[in-house]
Amino acid sequence: MPQKTLQRLSIIDIARDAGVSPATVSRAFNRPDLLKADTLQRIKAVSSEHGFRPNRVGSSLRSGSTRTLGLVLPTLRNPVFGECFEGAEQYAHAHGYSVMVASTGYAPATEADAVQSLIDHQVDGLILTVGNPARSATLRLLAGQDLPYVLAYNESPTHPFVSVDNAAAASDMVSLLAARGHRRIAIISGPLTASDRARRRLAGARAQARKLGLEEVLHLPMASHTAADSEKLRELLRLPSKSRAPTALFCSNDLLAASVISCLRGLGLSVPADISVCGFDGMTFAGLMVPPLTTIEQPSHDIGARACASLLACLQGETPPSVRLAHRLISGGTIAAATSAAS
């Protein structure tokens, strides 16, 4: 079939029809936040009429910037990280940037490979969640790259981050459990080596338990961050002394809490009549559970957006401070007054 050659419009053509300068058209696609709303709308209307799209490759070659940000997350199966991606992507798009995402499966080796791949794609900066900022080979790699980055969810005294105060949030949950009469609490988490968030939540829970005169908070690690092991739970609830079995299980995230509740039902236990369960994250589905899950809500969408804002500030030569956003305790229906029935 004969091929039809289409003439590619330039920003000069769009500028002429929109009655603005070529520089203004360029800003409309690269820094839309700098334009007045009516000017931006007029340029977009003319561009849409002509089917014009900017040549990103050519623009990148001329400016030395790809206007692309990298986002590295442990997984996209957890809705928390999906919300973070959405917040970062929306903020980036509003400021003329695109986002390239990679997931690591909580594996340090994959984490380093994902970051290197994004660097090879010449992203302008990175937002990332790592397993342990204090020992991260990924962050050591970035130190030699002169590439701006911001951590999301991690907390660190030496790296810029946006997160919640995980220890304080866990303390609030322990206080709620103590107010319901619980003195024996266990933390359920995935491997601590792959999540500094879980480590901080465990530390915060234990510190608050000591402050309130509760028994030492037990820790039951699972092989997965989001799936419980029924046999491990059975062993926890069959401690040698019945008086030592926990009356409340505090899970390090909501997906794990949902899995724990399912396993407990398989063991013949009712939540919260026999044992109380709570989570961390404040996912939308948690409020749809029956009964609704008691949990700590962290603003994942805002964490992504604020991390993106901090990264763009870094690209402008600024040094934005690290930020801890507010958490919120959601009192659902999965905790009740302490009982020894589980023992």
Side-chain angles (χ1 to χ4, degrees), residues 175-217:
S175 295
L176 176 63
L177 292 170
R180 302 290 179 88
H182 294 278
R183 298 187 57 80
R184 300 185 303 279
I185 301 167
I187 293 279
I188 314 293
S189 77
L192 295 183
T193 54
S195 174
D196 68 322
R197 288 81 67 202
R199 287 196 306 277
R200 288 178 179 272
R201 292 165 194 172
L202 175 60
R206 282 179 165 169
Q208 186 66 359
R210 288 192 296 270
K211 181 178 179 181
L212 296 176
L214 309 181
E215 294 188 22
E216 175 72 10
V217 171

Side-chain angles (χ1 to χ4, degrees), residues 47-109:
S47 300
S48 178
E49 179 184 349
H50 292 292
F52 172 80
R53 297 295 301 168
N55 184 342
R56 294 293 189 188
V57 175
S59 175
S60 298
L61 291 173
R62 290 189 297 273
S63 67
S65 167
T66 61
R67 298 197 71 80
T68 301
L69 308 177
L71 177 60
V72 180
L73 297 168
T75 179
L76 292 179
R77 294 182 180 182
N78 188 329
V80 163
F81 297 119
E83 290 181 19
C84 176
F85 166 70
E86 187 176 80
E89 195 278 333
Q90 288 177 354
Y91 192 94
H93 179 75
H95 292 78
Y97 282 80
S98 299
V99 174
M100 183 179 293
V101 66
S103 62
T104 66
Y106 293 95

